[in-house]
Amino acid sequence: MGKSGPKPMSVEVHKARGSYKDCRQGKLVRARSLETIPIHPEGLDKEGQNKWYDFLTYAVEIKGYIAPTELGLIEQMCQAWQEWKKYVKIVEEDGGGVIKTEKVVPMLNPNYRVMESAHNRYFKIMREMGMTPTTRSGITLITDDSKKGGFNLD
């Protein structure tokens, strides 16, 4: 049996044909980082606004930058956070995760399910952003302040 596939071409031939790539995976793109913390999006209450600023500041410390393309995901995370905090208070006022019906039959509080759903959405996004201890295990912190992509808070 013979060798399979076409004969490999040299770099010069690829350049002459216009098919040369620096990298086998194609063109590498660097993410553009934000220079300052953007104002929180509309629709966030005080809990969500606090989470917005806290998360962005923390994310820059951990990752070294935040790309503008991540802001929509961070907004969804803040909305899930504020919904979770809201329903934690409602569930506590209702007497917990299990309530009793009029016939004194225990059942799961419907508000507990909403709270749990918001909690799951929040942590799913946190994992996606690489901000849980498990997902951060492969991330190394930037210790040189000159290379740190911190925000200008002035």
Side-chain angles (χ1 to χ4, degrees), residues 1-31:
M1 284 187 88
K3 294 182 182 177
S4 62
K7 183 179 175 186
M9 291 185 275
S10 67
V11 172
E12 290 79 20
V13 172
H14 275 292
K15 284 183 179 179
R17 289 185 175 186
S19 61
Y20 175 73
K21 296 179 185 175
D22 288 334
C23 170
R24 291 179 70 163
Q25 288 76 30
K27 190 171 185 173
L28 298 176
V29 179
R30 289 185 179 255

Side-chain angles (χ1 to χ4, degrees), residues 6-124:
K7 183 179 175 186
M9 291 185 275
S10 67
V11 172
E12 290 79 20
V13 172
H14 275 292
K15 284 183 179 179
R17 289 185 175 186
S19 61
Y20 175 73
K21 296 179 185 175
D22 288 334
C23 170
R24 291 179 70 163
Q25 288 76 30
K27 190 171 185 173
L28 298 176
V29 179
R30 289 185 179 255
R32 185 173 61 96
S33 182
L34 298 172
E35 307 226 350
T36 61
I37 296 178
I39 297 174
H40 61 80
E42 295 291 323
L44 293 180
D45 63 10
K46 199 65 176 164
E47 283 289 339
Q49 292 170 13
N50 289 340
K51 182 51 92 177
W52 173 264
Y53 294 113
D54 290 346
F55 179 82
L56 285 174
T57 304
Y58 180 70
V60 167
E61 289 176 15
I62 296 296
K63 293 171 64 174
Y65 74 96
I66 288 292
T69 55
E70 296 173 323
L71 294 179
L73 192 59
I74 296 170
E75 180 181 358
Q76 289 178 20
M77 183 202 62
C78 293
Q79 289 171 345
W81 172 265
Q82 73 183 20
E83 184 178 344
W84 177 40
K85 295 299 270 185
K86 174 183 165 186
Y87 277 92
V88 164
K89 292 175 186 169
I90 291 172
V91 167
E92 286 175 355
E93 290 169 2
D94 288 349
V98 177
I99 57 174
K100 293 186 179 179
T101 61
E102 296 170 357
K103 297 180 181 179
V104 194
V105 177
M107 70 175 257
L108 188 62
N109 186 343
N111 291 322
Y112 182 84
R113 290 179 191 236
V114 176
M115 178 189 76
E116 187 178 41
S117 171
H119 177 269
N120 291 340
R121 283 192 336 263
Y122 172 75
F123 279 103
K124 184 177 182 181

